[in-house]
Amino acid sequence: MRERICAVSVDLDGIECYYRIHGLEVPRPVRDPVALDALPRFRELFEGRRIPATFFVVGQMAESGLGHEALPALRAAGHELANHSHTHPYDLFRQGPDAIAEEVGRAHRAITAASGAAPRGFRAPGYGLSPELLDAVTAAGYTYDSSVLPSPTYYAAKAAIMGVMRLGGRRSRSALADPRLALAPRHPYRPDPKAPWRQGQSSLVELPIAVSRGLRVPVIGLPLVTAPAPLRRLLVAELCQEPVINLELHGLDLCDADVDGIAAEIRERQPDLRVPLGHKRAVLGRTLDEIATAGYRFVTLLEMARLAQRGEL
Ligand SMILES: [Zn+2]
Protein backbone atom coordinates (compact mmCIF):
# COMPACT_ATOMS: atom_id res chain seq x y z
CA MET A 1 0.00 0.00 0.00
CA ARG A 2 1.25 3.49 -0.84
CA GLU A 3 2.31 5.87 1.85
CA ARG A 4 -0.40 8.29 2.92
CA ILE A 5 0.64 11.94 2.72
CA CYS A 6 -0.76 15.14 4.23
CA ALA A 7 0.39 18.69 3.52
CA VAL A 8 -0.89 21.54 5.69
CA SER A 9 -0.73 25.09 4.38
CA VAL A 10 -1.60 28.48 5.81
CA ASP A 11 -2.58 31.40 3.57
CA LEU A 12 -1.31 34.51 5.32
CA ASP A 13 -4.07 36.78 4.01
CA GLY A 14 -3.76 39.97 6.02
CA ILE A 15 -6.72 41.59 7.79
CA GLU A 16 -7.08 44.07 4.94
CA CYS A 17 -8.15 41.24 2.62
CA TYR A 18 -11.25 40.85 4.82
CA TYR A 19 -12.08 44.56 4.59
CA ARG A 20 -12.00 44.12 0.81
CA ILE A 21 -14.13 40.94 0.81
CA HIS A 22 -16.82 42.78 2.76
CA GLY A 23 -16.64 45.87 0.55
CA LEU A 24 -15.26 48.07 3.37
CA GLU A 25 -12.67 50.84 3.26
CA VAL A 26 -9.36 49.67 4.76
CA PRO A 27 -8.44 51.98 7.68
CA ARG A 28 -4.85 53.30 7.63
CA PRO A 29 -2.80 52.34 9.42
CA VAL A 30 -4.34 48.96 10.21
CA ARG A 31 -2.82 46.53 12.72
CA ASP A 32 -2.50 43.07 11.18
CA PRO A 33 -3.28 40.27 13.64
CA VAL A 34 -2.39 37.63 11.05
CA ALA A 35 1.29 38.57 10.90
CA LEU A 36 1.57 39.63 14.53
CA ASP A 37 -0.60 37.16 16.44
CA ALA A 38 -1.62 34.19 14.29
CA LEU A 39 1.77 33.41 12.77
CA PRO A 40 3.52 32.56 16.08
CA ARG A 41 0.44 30.53 17.09
CA PHE A 42 0.67 28.45 13.92
CA ARG A 43 4.36 27.84 14.54
CA GLU A 44 3.55 26.53 17.99
CA LEU A 45 0.75 24.34 16.62
CA PHE A 46 3.00 22.78 13.97
CA GLU A 47 6.34 22.67 15.67
CA GLY A 48 4.97 20.98 18.80
CA ARG A 49 3.93 18.17 16.43
CA ARG A 50 7.02 18.29 14.18
CA ILE A 51 4.89 19.18 11.18
CA PRO A 52 6.64 20.95 8.28
CA ALA A 53 4.02 23.31 6.83
CA THR A 54 3.72 25.57 3.80
CA PHE A 55 3.03 29.28 4.35
CA PHE A 56 1.59 31.22 1.41
CA VAL A 57 3.01 34.70 1.75
CA VAL A 58 1.50 37.84 0.20
CA GLY A 59 4.45 39.72 -1.32
CA GLN A 60 3.66 43.12 0.15
CA MET A 61 3.64 41.54 3.60
CA ALA A 62 7.15 40.24 2.93
CA GLU A 63 8.22 43.77 1.98
CA SER A 64 6.84 45.15 5.23
CA GLY A 65 7.93 44.32 8.76
CA LEU A 66 6.97 40.65 8.54
CA GLY A 67 9.78 39.80 6.19
CA HIS A 68 12.84 40.59 8.17
CA GLU A 69 12.59 38.21 11.07
CA ALA A 70 9.54 36.03 10.65
CA LEU A 71 10.21 34.61 7.18
CA PRO A 72 13.82 33.42 7.67
CA ALA A 73 12.74 31.96 11.03
CA LEU A 74 9.95 29.97 9.34
CA ARG A 75 12.43 28.55 6.86
CA ALA A 76 14.94 27.73 9.57
CA ALA A 77 12.20 25.79 11.37
CA GLY A 78 11.71 23.58 8.28
CA HIS A 79 8.64 25.26 6.78
CA GLU A 80 8.17 26.12 3.12
CA LEU A 81 7.39 29.64 1.92
CA ALA A 82 5.28 29.93 -1.20
CA ASN A 83 3.87 32.74 -3.34
CA HIS A 84 0.35 34.08 -2.74
CA SER A 85 0.62 37.06 -5.18
CA HIS A 86 1.88 40.52 -4.31
CA THR A 87 -1.25 42.43 -3.29
CA HIS A 88 -3.82 39.60 -3.13
CA PRO A 89 -6.22 40.92 -5.81
CA TYR A 90 -9.28 38.64 -5.83
CA ASP A 91 -9.74 39.18 -9.56
CA LEU A 92 -6.13 38.40 -10.49
CA PHE A 93 -7.27 35.57 -12.80
CA ARG A 94 -9.06 38.04 -15.08
CA GLN A 95 -6.30 40.66 -15.25
CA GLY A 96 -4.07 41.06 -18.32
CA PRO A 97 -0.83 39.08 -18.79
CA ASP A 98 1.41 42.01 -17.75
CA ALA A 99 -0.48 42.66 -14.52
CA ILE A 100 -0.47 38.94 -13.72
CA ALA A 101 3.27 38.63 -14.39
CA GLU A 102 3.89 41.66 -12.16
CA GLU A 103 1.84 40.19 -9.26
CA VAL A 104 3.60 36.81 -9.49
CA GLY A 105 7.07 38.25 -10.16
CA ARG A 106 7.05 41.00 -7.55
CA ALA A 107 5.90 38.63 -4.80
CA HIS A 108 8.53 36.14 -5.94
CA ARG A 109 11.28 38.75 -5.58
CA ALA A 110 9.97 40.05 -2.24
CA ILE A 111 9.73 36.58 -0.66
CA THR A 112 13.15 35.59 -2.03
CA ALA A 113 14.76 38.77 -0.70
CA ALA A 114 13.14 38.47 2.72
CA SER A 115 13.66 34.75 3.27
CA GLY A 116 16.77 33.89 1.25
CA ALA A 117 14.98 31.18 -0.77
CA ALA A 118 12.97 31.37 -3.98
CA PRO A 119 9.38 30.09 -3.75
CA ARG A 120 8.52 27.04 -5.87
CA GLY A 121 4.76 27.04 -5.41
CA PHE A 122 1.89 29.44 -6.03
CA ARG A 123 -1.68 29.84 -4.79
CA ALA A 124 -4.05 32.34 -6.39
CA PRO A 125 -6.11 34.70 -4.21
CA GLY A 126 -9.67 33.40 -3.79
CA TYR A 127 -8.96 30.07 -5.60
CA GLY A 128 -9.22 31.89 -8.94
CA LEU A 129 -7.05 30.09 -11.48
CA SER A 130 -7.15 30.84 -15.21
CA PRO A 131 -5.07 29.69 -18.21
CA GLU A 132 -3.30 33.10 -18.21
CA LEU A 133 -2.42 32.81 -14.53
CA LEU A 134 -1.23 29.23 -14.92
CA ASP A 135 0.95 30.43 -17.83
CA ALA A 136 2.62 33.05 -15.63
CA VAL A 137 3.27 30.56 -12.82
CA THR A 138 4.70 28.07 -15.33
CA ALA A 139 6.87 30.78 -16.94
CA ALA A 140 8.23 31.62 -13.47
CA GLY A 141 9.54 28.04 -13.40
CA TYR A 142 7.42 26.90 -10.45
CA THR A 143 7.08 23.24 -9.49
CA TYR A 144 3.44 23.41 -8.48
CA ASP A 145 0.26 25.44 -8.25
CA SER A 146 -2.26 24.89 -5.47
CA SER A 147 -5.15 27.21 -6.31
CA VAL A 148 -7.90 24.79 -7.26
CA LEU A 149 -10.75 24.24 -4.78
CA PRO A 150 -12.80 21.62 -6.64
CA SER A 151 -16.08 22.32 -4.87
CA PRO A 152 -19.47 23.17 -6.46
CA THR A 153 -20.77 23.86 -2.93
CA TYR A 154 -18.16 26.58 -2.49
CA TYR A 155 -18.95 28.20 -5.86
CA ALA A 156 -22.68 28.18 -5.21
CA ALA A 157 -22.27 29.68 -1.73
CA LYS A 158 -19.87 32.36 -2.93
CA ALA A 159 -22.14 33.37 -5.82
CA ALA A 160 -25.11 33.57 -3.44
CA ILE A 161 -23.26 35.73 -0.90
CA MET A 162 -21.97 38.10 -3.58
CA GLY A 163 -25.52 38.39 -4.96
CA VAL A 164 -26.96 39.23 -1.55
CA MET A 165 -24.27 41.87 -0.99
CA ARG A 166 -25.06 43.46 -4.34
CA LEU A 167 -28.77 43.59 -3.44
CA GLY A 168 -27.78 45.37 -0.24
CA GLY A 169 -25.87 47.96 -2.27
CA ARG A 170 -22.42 46.74 -1.19
CA ARG A 171 -19.87 45.46 -3.61
CA SER A 172 -17.50 42.71 -2.52
CA ARG A 173 -14.03 42.85 -4.03
CA SER A 174 -14.24 39.07 -4.23
CA ALA A 175 -14.58 37.55 -7.73
CA LEU A 176 -15.90 34.32 -9.23
CA ALA A 177 -13.53 32.33 -11.43
CA ASP A 178 -14.48 29.78 -14.10
CA PRO A 179 -17.09 27.43 -12.58
CA ARG A 180 -15.48 24.45 -14.32
CA LEU A 181 -12.82 24.64 -11.57
CA ALA A 182 -15.51 23.30 -9.23
CA LEU A 183 -15.40 19.95 -11.02
CA ALA A 184 -11.61 19.70 -11.38
CA PRO A 185 -9.90 16.49 -10.20
CA ARG A 186 -9.64 16.12 -6.42
CA HIS A 187 -6.14 14.64 -6.46
CA PRO A 188 -2.78 15.97 -7.77
CA TYR A 189 -2.69 16.20 -11.56
CA ARG A 190 -0.88 17.85 -14.44
CA PRO A 191 -3.28 20.50 -15.72
CA ASP A 192 -4.10 21.33 -19.31
CA PRO A 193 -2.51 24.79 -19.86
CA LYS A 194 -5.58 25.91 -21.87
CA ALA A 195 -8.07 24.49 -19.34
CA PRO A 196 -6.43 24.09 -15.92
CA TRP A 197 -9.57 22.41 -14.51
CA ARG A 198 -8.75 19.24 -16.41
CA GLN A 199 -5.84 16.84 -16.89
CA GLY A 200 -3.24 17.81 -19.46
CA GLN A 201 0.46 18.13 -20.12
CA SER A 202 1.56 21.13 -18.07
CA SER A 203 5.12 21.00 -16.74
CA LEU A 204 3.89 21.84 -13.25
CA VAL A 205 1.66 19.90 -10.91
CA GLU A 206 -1.70 21.13 -9.62
CA LEU A 207 -2.34 20.25 -5.97
CA PRO A 208 -6.10 20.71 -5.37
CA ILE A 209 -7.30 21.73 -1.92
CA ALA A 210 -9.09 19.05 0.12
CA VAL A 211 -12.83 18.57 -0.34
CA SER A 212 -14.99 15.72 0.90
CA ARG A 213 -15.98 12.87 -1.40
CA GLY A 214 -19.43 12.97 -2.92
CA LEU A 215 -20.70 16.42 -1.98
CA ARG A 216 -17.23 17.96 -2.32
CA VAL A 217 -17.59 20.14 0.76
CA PRO A 218 -14.37 22.13 1.29
CA VAL A 219 -12.48 20.68 4.26
CA ILE A 220 -10.52 23.81 5.12
CA GLY A 221 -9.88 25.69 8.35
CA LEU A 222 -13.13 27.68 8.45
CA PRO A 223 -15.58 24.75 8.65
CA LEU A 224 -13.22 22.88 10.97
CA VAL A 225 -13.13 25.68 13.56
CA THR A 226 -16.81 26.62 13.30
CA ALA A 227 -18.56 23.24 12.86
CA PRO A 228 -20.20 21.43 15.79
CA ALA A 229 -17.96 18.61 17.09
CA PRO A 230 -19.81 15.69 15.41
CA LEU A 231 -19.70 17.40 12.01
CA ARG A 232 -16.01 18.22 12.38
CA ARG A 233 -15.28 14.59 13.23
CA LEU A 234 -17.23 13.49 10.18
CA LEU A 235 -15.27 15.85 7.91
CA VAL A 236 -11.94 14.62 9.27
CA ALA A 237 -13.04 11.00 8.94
CA GLU A 238 -13.94 11.74 5.29
CA LEU A 239 -10.51 13.28 4.72
CA CYS A 240 -8.78 10.24 6.17
CA GLN A 241 -10.30 8.08 3.39
CA GLU A 242 -8.01 9.83 0.91
CA PRO A 243 -4.48 8.81 -0.07
CA VAL A 244 -3.43 12.47 -0.22
CA ILE A 245 -4.65 15.40 1.91
CA ASN A 246 -4.01 19.05 1.04
CA LEU A 247 -5.36 20.81 4.12
CA GLU A 248 -5.69 24.57 3.71
CA LEU A 249 -5.87 26.96 6.65
CA HIS A 250 -5.92 30.76 6.82
CA GLY A 251 -4.24 33.18 9.21
CA LEU A 252 -7.65 34.10 10.61
CA ASP A 253 -8.19 30.49 11.75
CA LEU A 254 -6.00 31.31 14.77
CA CYS A 255 -7.26 34.85 15.40
CA ASP A 256 -9.80 35.93 17.99
CA ALA A 257 -11.49 39.33 17.60
CA ASP A 258 -11.51 40.01 21.35
CA VAL A 259 -7.99 38.82 22.14
CA ASP A 260 -6.46 40.45 19.06
CA GLY A 261 -8.37 43.75 19.13
CA ILE A 262 -10.02 43.33 15.71
CA ALA A 263 -12.41 46.14 14.69
CA ALA A 264 -16.13 45.61 15.28
CA GLU A 265 -16.99 46.04 11.58
CA ILE A 266 -14.92 42.95 10.73
CA ARG A 267 -15.85 41.04 13.88
CA GLU A 268 -19.55 41.28 13.10
CA ARG A 269 -19.12 40.11 9.51
CA GLN A 270 -16.79 37.17 10.24
CA PRO A 271 -18.51 34.76 12.64
CA ASP A 272 -15.31 32.71 12.85
CA LEU A 273 -13.62 35.63 14.62
CA ARG A 274 -16.08 35.24 17.48
CA VAL A 275 -14.98 31.63 18.09
CA PRO A 276 -12.63 31.73 21.11
CA LEU A 277 -8.95 31.22 20.37
CA GLY A 278 -8.69 28.35 22.87
CA HIS A 279 -11.37 26.43 20.98
CA LYS A 280 -9.71 27.05 17.61
CA ARG A 281 -6.34 25.88 18.90
CA ALA A 282 -7.84 22.74 20.42
CA VAL A 283 -9.84 21.86 17.32
CA LEU A 284 -7.00 22.36 14.85
CA GLY A 285 -4.62 20.44 17.13
CA ARG A 286 -7.11 17.59 17.43
CA THR A 287 -7.57 17.52 13.65
CA LEU A 288 -3.82 17.25 13.03
CA ASP A 289 -3.51 14.55 15.70
CA GLU A 290 -6.35 12.54 14.14
CA ILE A 291 -4.68 12.75 10.72
CA ALA A 292 -1.36 11.62 12.24
CA THR A 293 -3.06 8.74 14.06
CA ALA A 294 -4.64 7.64 10.77
CA GLY A 295 -1.09 7.00 9.51
CA TYR A 296 -0.36 10.07 7.37
CA ARG A 297 3.13 11.49 6.99
CA PHE A 298 3.22 15.29 6.98
CA VAL A 299 5.16 16.94 4.16
CA THR A 300 5.33 20.40 2.61
CA LEU A 301 3.37 21.01 -0.57
CA LEU A 302 6.67 21.17 -2.45
CA GLU A 303 7.53 17.66 -1.32
CA MET A 304 4.02 16.52 -2.23
CA ALA A 305 4.50 17.99 -5.72
CA ARG A 306 7.82 16.19 -6.15
CA LEU A 307 6.27 12.88 -5.09
CA ALA A 308 3.45 13.49 -7.59
CA GLN A 309 5.95 14.26 -10.38
CA ARG A 310 7.73 10.99 -9.70
CA GLY A 311 4.45 9.10 -9.76
CA GLU A 312 4.82 8.14 -6.10
CA LEU A 313 1.42 9.32 -4.91
ZN1 LIG B 1 -5.61 34.31 0.19
Side-chain angles (χ1 to χ4, degrees), residues 11 13 84 88 125-126 250:
D11 299 356
D13 301 10
H84 197 30
H88 205 276
H250 282 90

mmCIF file of all heavy atoms in Angstrom, residues 11 13 84 88 125-126 250, ligand 1:
data_model
loop_
_atom_site.group_PDB
_atom_site.id
_atom_site.type_symbol
_atom_site.label_atom_id
_atom_site.label_comp_id
_atom_site.label_asym_id
_atom_site.label_seq_id
_atom_site.Cartn_x
_atom_site.Cartn_y
_atom_site.Cartn_z
ATOM 1 N N ASP A 11 -2.594 30.194 4.409
ATOM 2 C CA ASP A 11 -2.581 31.397 3.571
ATOM 3 C C ASP A 11 -2.541 32.601 4.509
ATOM 4 O O ASP A 11 -3.468 32.807 5.310
ATOM 5 C CB ASP A 11 -3.856 31.479 2.712
ATOM 6 C CG ASP A 11 -3.976 30.289 1.760
ATOM 7 O OD1 ASP A 11 -3.042 29.456 1.713
ATOM 8 O OD2 ASP A 11 -5.005 30.198 1.068
ATOM 9 N N ASP A 13 -3.283 35.631 4.470
ATOM 10 C CA ASP A 13 -4.073 36.782 4.008
ATOM 11 C C ASP A 13 -4.189 37.765 5.157
ATOM 12 O O ASP A 13 -4.713 37.415 6.224
ATOM 13 C CB ASP A 13 -5.496 36.345 3.614
ATOM 14 C CG ASP A 13 -5.529 35.295 2.515
ATOM 15 O OD1 ASP A 13 -4.464 34.761 2.179
ATOM 16 O OD2 ASP A 13 -6.628 35.014 2.022
ATOM 17 N N HIS A 84 1.803 33.889 -2.747
ATOM 18 C CA HIS A 84 0.348 34.078 -2.736
ATOM 19 C C HIS A 84 -0.013 35.419 -3.389
ATOM 20 O O HIS A 84 -0.941 36.080 -2.954
ATOM 21 C CB HIS A 84 -0.157 34.001 -1.291
ATOM 22 C CG HIS A 84 -1.642 33.777 -1.147
ATOM 23 N ND1 HIS A 84 -2.399 33.091 -2.068
ATOM 24 C CD2 HIS A 84 -2.521 34.167 -0.184
ATOM 25 C CE1 HIS A 84 -3.663 33.068 -1.678
ATOM 26 N NE2 HIS A 84 -3.768 33.723 -0.546
ATOM 27 N N HIS A 88 -2.638 40.418 -3.361
ATOM 28 C CA HIS A 88 -3.823 39.597 -3.130
ATOM 29 C C HIS A 88 -5.077 40.162 -3.809
ATOM 30 O O HIS A 88 -6.148 40.300 -3.185
ATOM 31 C CB HIS A 88 -4.068 39.440 -1.612
ATOM 32 C CG HIS A 88 -4.834 38.202 -1.257
ATOM 33 N ND1 HIS A 88 -6.215 38.140 -1.295
ATOM 34 C CD2 HIS A 88 -4.442 36.967 -0.859
ATOM 35 C CE1 HIS A 88 -6.616 36.933 -0.924
ATOM 36 N NE2 HIS A 88 -5.559 36.199 -0.656
ATOM 37 N N PRO A 125 -5.138 34.161 -5.157
ATOM 38 C CA PRO A 125 -6.114 34.695 -4.208
ATOM 39 C C PRO A 125 -7.504 34.175 -4.564
ATOM 40 O O PRO A 125 -7.869 34.122 -5.743
ATOM 41 C CB PRO A 125 -6.051 36.211 -4.433
ATOM 42 C CG PRO A 125 -4.746 36.455 -5.125
ATOM 43 C CD PRO A 125 -4.450 35.218 -5.913
ATOM 44 N N GLY A 126 -8.272 33.787 -3.572
ATOM 45 C CA GLY A 126 -9.671 33.404 -3.788
ATOM 46 C C GLY A 126 -9.866 32.201 -4.699
ATOM 47 O O GLY A 126 -10.936 32.071 -5.308
ATOM 48 N N HIS A 250 -6.179 29.335 7.030
ATOM 49 C CA HIS A 250 -5.923 30.756 6.819
ATOM 50 C C HIS A 250 -5.429 31.374 8.127
ATOM 51 O O HIS A 250 -5.767 30.867 9.208
ATOM 52 C CB HIS A 250 -7.201 31.483 6.381
ATOM 53 C CG HIS A 250 -7.542 31.266 4.944
ATOM 54 N ND1 HIS A 250 -8.338 30.228 4.519
ATOM 55 C CD2 HIS A 250 -7.172 31.951 3.826
ATOM 56 C CE1 HIS A 250 -8.448 30.295 3.199
ATOM 57 N NE2 HIS A 250 -7.750 31.324 2.753
HETATM 58 ZN ZN ZN B 1 -5.613 34.310 0.191
#
